[in-house]
Amino acid sequence: MTEPRIIISGGGTGGHIFPAVSIANAVKAKCPDAKILFIGAEGRMEMTRVPEAGYEIKGLPVRGLIRPLWSPKNIGVMIDFFLSRHKVKRIIKSFKPQVAVGVGGYASAPTLNAAAAMGIPCLIQEQNSYAGVTNRSLAKKAAKICVAYDEMERFFPADRIIKTGNPVRQALLANTMTKAEAREAMGLQKDLPTILVIGGSLGARTINNSIAAGIQRFEQAGIQVVWQTGKFYAEECERKAKEANAKIVRPQAFISDMATAYKAADIVISRAGASSISELCLLGKASILVPSPNVAEDHQTKNARALSDKGAAVFVPDNQAERTLVEEAVALVSNATAIEKLEQEVKKLALPDSADIIADEVLKLVKNS
């Protein structure tokens, strides 16, 4: 196979970008001559993250629909969609891809709509247990649909579904540190129970408020907390930790080495985005999931329930977190038996080698195009 040409589209959050880059990396590993072009949304995270990963990206003036849907502002949104689709057609004519891959996010819809209309085979990667509206709308145009959960025929044609799981950042799986080594590398005390708190790169208000209110509880219980606040909440959380004279509750805006942070932790408190859940499964981490209520179709709650119903995670609704999260965390991190049970169950849900499997499907479509 000589020089496959592939477009990968989507983004908006790390949860879309990390899988997209992982798929691209897997394709390049199998076929170093492959030419890969990303298409994203102007002003969104992918426009910087994708070039940092070594790939070219083109931006579209596309954005999400505004609620309520009858808002007059959606006239401008639809104009931008059609402008984006027109721009994609020009990109496709120039780049001449053999396959288009959509990972969700604003840019996927105009890109895959245009590609399908131009006769280019399309592959969709759906990360959540409840399919997003963009991927549902594209399903009939897709040759293959790669999913991470069972029963996705509720949303997609059954004969096109492949259960692959979600690709995760390879650095997470490559870390061979012991827990003690990871804690030492992070400047933590080796012998204290340790909780990792992650709310995404932008942060999670409810989780941050809950942890901030529980600083004294953690300090008195001798539980150290590695607390990623997100950049929007960093200053406020650092101030609250300083006011509480915190010694072992450590807020920071961003954790650059997540592989080591995961290794150091006994349990993880997290939102329930698809990428986070895939990482927890593959790493076998006990977790408390606090789904964000501010996402389309409440898909994070469905993701969290997919684990908690199997005894693979503890589920705390966002509207109860400020009352119950800290005590749930203190109880769990102090219960080695409960942690071990969660670890055993969550490992059963892991789907390794997702990026490789999806890359194989992409290259099959290239071969058959």
Side-chain angles (χ1 to χ4, degrees):
M1 188 186 301
T2 59
E3 198 181 282
R5 303 180 73 81
I6 299 157
I7 278 176
I8 300 178
S9 181
T13 67
H16 288 129
I17 298 163
F18 295 139
V21 170
S22 294
I23 293 167
N25 290 343
V27 168
K28 291 289 280 186
K30 294 171 183 293
C31 192
D33 292 334
K35 304 297 181 188
I36 298 173
L37 176 66
F38 281 74
I39 298 179
E42 291 173 355
R44 304 290 289 186
M45 191 187 301
E46 59 266 28
M47 299 307 295
T48 55
R49 293 290 179 86
V50 168
E52 286 171 1
Y55 295 99
E56 182 183 0
I57 187 168
K58 303 282 189 183
L60 304 179
V62 67
R63 49 202 170 107
L65 288 167
I66 296 163
R67 300 292 193 268
L69 293 178
W70 58 84
S71 168
K73 293 179 181 177
N74 280 325
I75 296 171
V77 173
M78 293 309 298
I79 290 170
D80 284 345
F81 176 87
F82 288 112
L83 287 172
S84 295
R85 184 170 166 173
H86 182 68
K87 184 174 181 179
V88 169
K89 286 184 175 181
R90 294 202 311 271
I91 293 169
I92 288 172
K93 286 176 183 176
S94 172
F95 185 68
K96 298 181 174 61
Q98 292 149 298
V99 174
V101 177
V103 298
Y106 300 144
S108 279
T111 301
L112 267 69
N113 267 295
M118 297 172 76
I120 295 162
C122 297
L123 179 146
I124 292 171
Q125 200 254 326
E126 173 56 58
Q127 294 138 19
N128 295 294
S129 61
Y130 192 92
V133 65
T134 297
N135 280 348
R136 294 205 307 271
S137 71
L138 294 168
K140 290 181 181 178
K141 300 169 184 174
K144 295 288 182 182
I145 302 165
C146 297
V147 303
Y149 294 89
D150 294 324
E151 301 178 6
M152 296 302 286
E153 59 274 7
R154 293 177 294 159
F155 309 108
F156 304 127
D159 61 335
R160 299 180 211 171
I161 293 174
I162 304 170
K163 189 178 178 185
T164 60
N166 289 324
V168 303
R169 294 169 281 185
Q170 286 306 114
L172 299 180
L173 305 177
N175 188 299
T176 58
M177 286 183 177
T178 64
K179 187 174 286 186
E181 288 169 343
R183 289 180 182 175
E184 183 176 13
M186 295 189 72
L188 300 170
Q189 296 185 45
K190 293 182 184 180
D191 56 345
L192 291 184
T194 303
I195 299 173
L196 171 63
V197 180
I198 46 176
S201 57
L202 301 180
R205 178 175 291 280
T206 303
I207 292 177
N208 283 334
N209 286 347
S210 303
I211 300 302
I215 290 172
Q216 292 291 355
R217 180 75 174 96
F218 290 126
E219 292 276 337
Q220 290 164 5
I223 298 168
Q224 60 190 351
V225 181
V226 180
W227 179 12
Q228 179 179 283
T229 64
K231 63 180 182 180
F232 290 150
Y233 305 102
E235 188 176 329
E236 177 187 0
C237 294
E238 287 167 5
R239 177 178 56 78
K240 289 181 177 179
K242 188 174 182 180
E243 288 172 355
N245 197 29
K247 298 290 192 299
I248 54 176
V249 176
R250 299 172 29 167
Q252 55 195 100
F254 184 72
I255 298 171
S256 58
D257 186 357
M258 280 300 301
T260 301
Y262 273 128
K263 282 281 187 177
D266 294 302
I267 70 169
V268 179
I269 296 172
S270 177
R271 286 303 200 191
S275 286
S276 295
I277 285 184
S278 294
E279 291 172 359
L280 294 168
C281 291
L282 284 164
L283 297 172
K285 300 303 294 188
S287 67
I288 301 174
L289 300 175
V290 186
S292 170
N294 305 313
V295 293
E297 295 155 317
D298 199 25
H299 68 252
Q300 286 203 9
T301 294
K302 297 174 178 74
N303 290 348
R305 287 291 192 195
L307 267 65
S308 64
D309 288 350
K310 294 180 173 69
V314 176
F315 171 74
V316 172
D318 186 86
N319 62 7
Q320 296 177 24
E322 292 190 29
R323 297 193 307 276
T324 66
L325 178 58
V326 169
E327 289 307 320
E328 288 274 10
V330 170
L332 179 58
V333 80
S334 306
N335 188 335
T337 302
I339 291 173
E340 185 178 0
K341 180 66 174 172
L342 288 169
E343 290 173 344
Q344 289 172 352
E345 294 304 315
V346 79
K347 283 178 186 175
K348 294 176 184 177
L349 303 178
L351 292 167
D353 306 318
S354 298
D356 282 338
I357 297 167
I358 296 169
D360 285 338
E361 295 299 325
V362 171
L363 292 172
K364 283 179 193 175
L365 290 176
V366 169
K367 186 176 180 181
N368 296 330
S369 65

